[in-house]
Amino acid sequence: MKNDSLQDKDPAEQWLLETFGEAFQPEAPEDAWLRLEPHLPTRKKRRMLILWLPLSALAFVLWGAFEYRSRSGRPAVNALANATPLASIQHGPRPGSAILQPHNTEPELCANIPQRPGRAKTDPKLTTEWLNATASVSPEDALPARIWETARVPLENGRPRWVEMPAPSRLPLVSKAIPTQIPAAIKPVQQKRRFKVGLDAAPLFFIQGNTPGTVDPLAFTEVSSQPAKGWQTGVSLAFEPVPHWRIALGIQRMHLMLHARHTATLRLMDGVCLNPSDPGLKEYAFSYQLLSGNGNQSALSLRLQQQDVGSSMPMDEPFRLDMMTIHHTSAWRVPISLERSFSHGPWHFSIRGGTVIDFAGKDKMEVIHFSEACQDLCFQSGRIPSIDAVNTSSTKLEWLAAIGLERQLSRHFALRFEPVLTGQKHYLQGGLSLGLLFSH
Amino acid sequence: MEEEHKHLSDRELAAACAKGDRQAQRILFERVKNPMFGVCLRFCGSRSAAEDLLQEGFIRVFQDIRQYRGEGSLEGWVRRIFIRAGIAHFHSLQKQPEIVELDQLEYLTMQEPGELDPQDSESALALLQKLPPGFRAVLNLAVLEEKSHEEIARALDISVGTSRSQLARAKAFLRKIVQKTLVFA
């Protein structure tokens, strides 16, 4: 036991300590580690930072901050530090009524509220007007223009006019910043939102007209078998200098896919023989211009190889190449427009006109069918030649027309549906745009 | 990497083991495997049981190694883990009732000294392992680990009186064997 020296222990204990004490270190089995290792906890791998978690948290914080600021900006709560209240509202003498009082009025007059409507018409301090009971007024909404306009017009004696009106469902909260006895104050009629930022996306349909002919022997036009289809997304910024009129500027990215076909009539002399000294199959390179119905131009280069060695074909004998192609076009567009809107409650109807600057974009051509017909069948049939297509279009200016329908979803956000037409002399492009607008 | 771990302190080695560093775990294993196997052999009734207990003990060590706070040596901390594992092994044996045949003990005491040499480690181990689990556990804890009867009673879930009587009987038994060989004067 503890604190006993070895000499004090009995023989049994001594024997145990000497035999099985610290010196007792028998060899562990050789395979002990091999048996143990699979059961050991492994190194914990660091979890990949899940970026979307902190990003979501950041987005949530930003959204919360934005919402807080938005709420704090609502009228009649606590935005009065920077805005001079123009009017006050308090309970009226009759149930369900409220008195709207423009400021610059002595506070003590608040107590002199007439008991009966009508009587106040003779009161030089105020007049009352019982307005349409169906008019709805709430602290969050702007006052109906009728009420406000009535209240703003002073009396003939120069004193401000008090207006009795249907009380809102709840009166604005009292703001401690108001150094008067008036229980509440409201901001003036909300200012018109002057700026709007929008995000929109639209499926596009191309309706192509006839491409004008060309006198260039090495330029050919392609015909589309169906309207080009695509997608367009963009952002826009609109400014409203005067009510109901907006100037908008946007930037859009357009992707179009066009199925087309064209026939090129060529001669051997139009191309370049790439292996004139080769006794085997000759290979020729041709280049020509391709005009598309959407006004795009492409420079095509293709290589063709003879089918049979020895078969000759006059250099000036024409042969035809038929090709079916798919154009994948991407381009940047900048629409500039003027818009007139008409409002009815939360709905806004707009007419827009302007111009679109269409920058030449990338055009990738995919040949899905190829065949050639020539008298001596001197070219290999069915083999798709190698083709390089380079968009040689220049920046275009198109006209734009649109009508839009907007629904105000909340104080800041609105949804817009807008059929859009753009085009030039020889083609028309239509789209159905759906957009989300943010206004401030 | 093995060279790096060799210069680590006990605390650093434990931290590396806690992170799952296999090299560090191997270093610690190699350092203490033999002494701990000795502990296992003392607690168990057979070599195979001791090998199982060795594995179980090290699994516990590496699972709980985060709890090592640097107080005392790492080997001493590992030893305590193995003692607890040995006690748990004892409790598991208790669930399997073992009939202690007194004549087995008597048989051992009747052996000729030449047949059972307590100074031979193999024989000594065989002798220890032939003891009933209760005797073996009390001897291990009381004599070799120098625990008090109160601690032994708590650990083995027996009364203090049982602990004392078990120890007395175990020592008496061993004394007979040891004195028979006239090892000690």
Side-chain angles (χ1 to χ4, degrees), chain A residues 142-152 189:
Chain A
L143 284 178
R146 183 184 169 197
I147 295 176
W148 181 246
E149 291 302 324
T150 303
R152 285 175 63 181
V189 173

Side-chain angles (χ1 to χ4, degrees), chain B residues 82-100:
Chain B
F82 271 87
I83 298 297
R84 283 203 286 269
I87 294 170
H89 175 75
F90 164 77
H91 285 297
S92 69
L93 291 179
Q94 294 299 97
K95 290 176 187 173
Q96 303 160 19
E98 184 179 343
I99 298 170
V100 177

Side-chain angles (χ1 to χ4, degrees), chain A residues 325-337:
Chain A
T325 56
I326 300 178
H327 289 267
H328 298 274
T329 307
S330 299
W332 289 101
R333 294 152 61 96
V334 174
I336 303 169
S337 60

